[in-house]
Amino acid sequence: MPEPTTDRSTPPAGTGVPANRSSNPSARRLDEVSRTLDALVHDRGFPGALASIRDADGSVRNVAAGDGVPLDGQVRIGSNTKSFTAVALLQLVGEGTLDLDVPVGKYLPNLLCGKGIDGTRILVRHVLQQTSGLPDYMAAWAGDPASFRYRYADPRDLLDVALTMPALFEPGDRWSYSNTNYVVAGLLLQTITGRPWSEQVHRRVIAPLGLQRTYVPAAGELGLRGAHPQGFLRDGAGNLQDHTEFDPSIAWAAGAVIASLSDLNRFATGLLRGELLSPALLAEMQNTVPSDGFPGTGYGLGLARFPQADGSVAWGHGGDIFGAETRGWATADGRAATVAVTALPSDAAGLEAVMAAATTSFEAARS
């Protein structure tokens, strides 16, 4: 496979890449990012890897490794979508049309009913915080992605699958990651505004930040619109198969958004700098509960806490979806980094390698 490519076309105004790289710490850190991505491809077996680094002054540097992987290509960002959905709902809280501590059943009567599931006892906060006890509909389908690769799923179809399973626990008792929570969040957004989830995410999040390479796929849209790497899925024998095209409706408000990594960094820094939410609502989003098994050290309202080695705290989410995994985080001073690989890790060591690459990339962001 070819060596990693690096885009340094957007350094801070009036600067360039020094000829003597060994004496430039920033250049050395960027070279380390390149080596890390190269290792993901050559040593860990990922078909491709990308990184985008945003400095505190807003300059962007992009790196890519792997055959045919474009710099800053668009990827399916998976569960990073949850942060977009949560922001849009929190804006409704700010507008006075939604209350975090009111049962979902007030807004969606008779929707959440099942074995131990009662929408009159599940608060909106529980849904965004992943403490509702709702089972994850993906548990029924994740083992056979080929069966729904080209199948369109209505949000109610996803919810119907979840409601065949019993509640995991009483609302608020503990934390458990469930994509079903964010299907409910998307339905809340649609019901309260009277408009589609996709339109509301675009109007409330994507457009205000000027994210030119971020979008919600249209119904039935199988591919990616801009320059992008291929996405791969391992078959039963462990062989990589092209899975770039599929119907993302199975992820909907929990994971369907497509974005470039630089746009994802811009979203994260804009959120943390208060461009989307009031200080009080951002504080609600960052009020975390313990989240055993999640990469961060605590989960808020669609946002996770990631302490750094230097003592600072960064925020992000991460996303896994067929054909792509993304990991990254940002800080309120404007630094951000995101890494993506073009296949899901096959073991814990692969996931740890992606997390390590994200750490290396974040350390390369200039303050």
Side-chain angles (χ1 to χ4, degrees):
M1 292 184 179
E3 291 302 306
T5 53
T6 305
D7 174 11
R8 305 180 187 89
S9 59
T10 53
T15 70
V17 179
N20 183 4
R21 300 181 59 80
S22 63
S23 64
N24 184 275
S26 178
R28 290 200 304 272
R29 286 194 293 267
L30 197 62
D31 284 344
E32 179 60 25
V33 173
S34 294
R35 288 191 293 271
T36 301
L37 295 192
D38 191 42
L40 287 174
V41 173
H42 289 90
D43 300 339
R44 292 293 176 183
F46 292 105
L50 309 83
S52 186
I53 300 161
R54 185 181 182 90
D55 298 331
D57 64 3
S59 61
V60 176
R61 292 166 292 156
N62 300 306
V63 186
D67 190 19
V69 178
L71 289 167
D72 200 28
Q74 288 181 336
V75 297
R76 300 185 190 276
I77 66 170
S79 288
N80 291 290
T81 300
K82 292 178 173 68
S83 298
F84 286 64
T85 300
V87 167
L89 270 184
L90 286 167
Q91 288 181 5
L92 297 186
V93 174
E95 294 164 11
T97 57
L98 178 71
D99 190 324
L100 286 172
D101 295 310
V102 163
V104 171
K106 173 183 176 181
Y107 306 102
L108 301 172
N110 304 315
L111 181 70
L112 299 181
C113 303
K115 303 171 186 176
I117 299 171
D118 181 354
T120 66
R121 295 188 292 115
I122 298 172
L123 305 181
V124 174
R125 184 184 301 276
H126 293 150
V127 167
L128 294 180
Q129 195 181 58
Q130 304 274 16
T131 56
S132 69
L134 289 171
D136 191 347
Y137 67 88
M138 281 301 299
W141 288 345
D144 187 19
S147 68
F148 53 77
R149 179 174 182 178
Y150 298 114
R151 172 185 172 181
Y152 172 76
D154 183 85
R156 287 299 301 268
D157 296 334
L158 307 178
L159 195 57
D160 286 347
V161 171
L163 294 177
T164 64
M165 298 179 273
L168 302 177
F169 48 82
E170 285 293 310
D173 273 6
R174 58 187 177 89
W175 184 92
S176 181
Y177 193 86
S178 173
N179 290 288
T180 306
N181 283 314
Y182 276 79
V183 172
V184 174
L187 291 171
L188 281 166
L189 188 58
Q190 290 193 156
T191 299
I192 293 169
T193 64
R195 299 299 303 167
W197 164 76
S198 57
E199 177 189 282
Q200 289 297 300
V201 165
H202 180 85
R203 185 175 75 81
R204 293 174 176 275
V205 182
I206 297 172
L209 293 178
L211 306 181
Q212 297 296 315
R213 302 183 62 225
T214 300
Y215 65 96
V216 179
E221 187 173 3
L222 303 179
L224 288 77
R225 298 174 190 174
H228 61 273
Q230 290 176 285
F232 294 86
L233 194 66
R234 298 183 190 278
D235 61 21
N239 300 313
L240 290 166
Q241 304 293 335
D242 190 333
H243 203 80
T244 308
E245 290 193 349
F246 73 92
D247 193 317
S249 59
I250 189 169
W252 197 53
V257 169
I258 291 171
S260 68
L261 299 191
S262 62
D263 266 12
L264 193 52
N265 286 341
R266 171 71 181 102
F267 163 71
T269 56
L271 171 62
L272 296 177
R273 285 177 156 177
E275 297 179 45
L276 295 170
L277 296 173
S278 69
L281 288 172
L282 181 57
E284 289 277 15
M285 199 173 188
Q286 294 177 309
N287 184 15
T288 64
V289 296
S291 51
D292 293 342
F294 197 78
T297 61
Y299 197 93
L301 306 183
L303 196 64
R305 186 178 189 270
F306 293 88
Q308 303 299 299
D310 63 3
S312 64
V313 174
W315 298 87
H317 197 286
D320 295 356
I321 195 165
F322 307 114
E325 177 175 273
T326 52
R327 291 290 184 271
W329 38 82
T331 51
D333 65 2
R335 292 176 297 148
T338 302
V339 167
V341 289
T342 58
L344 294 176
S346 57
D347 53 27
L351 175 58
E352 289 172 5
V354 177
M355 291 292 288
T359 297
T360 300
S361 298
F362 185 76
E363 289 172 348
R366 296 185 293 243
S367 60

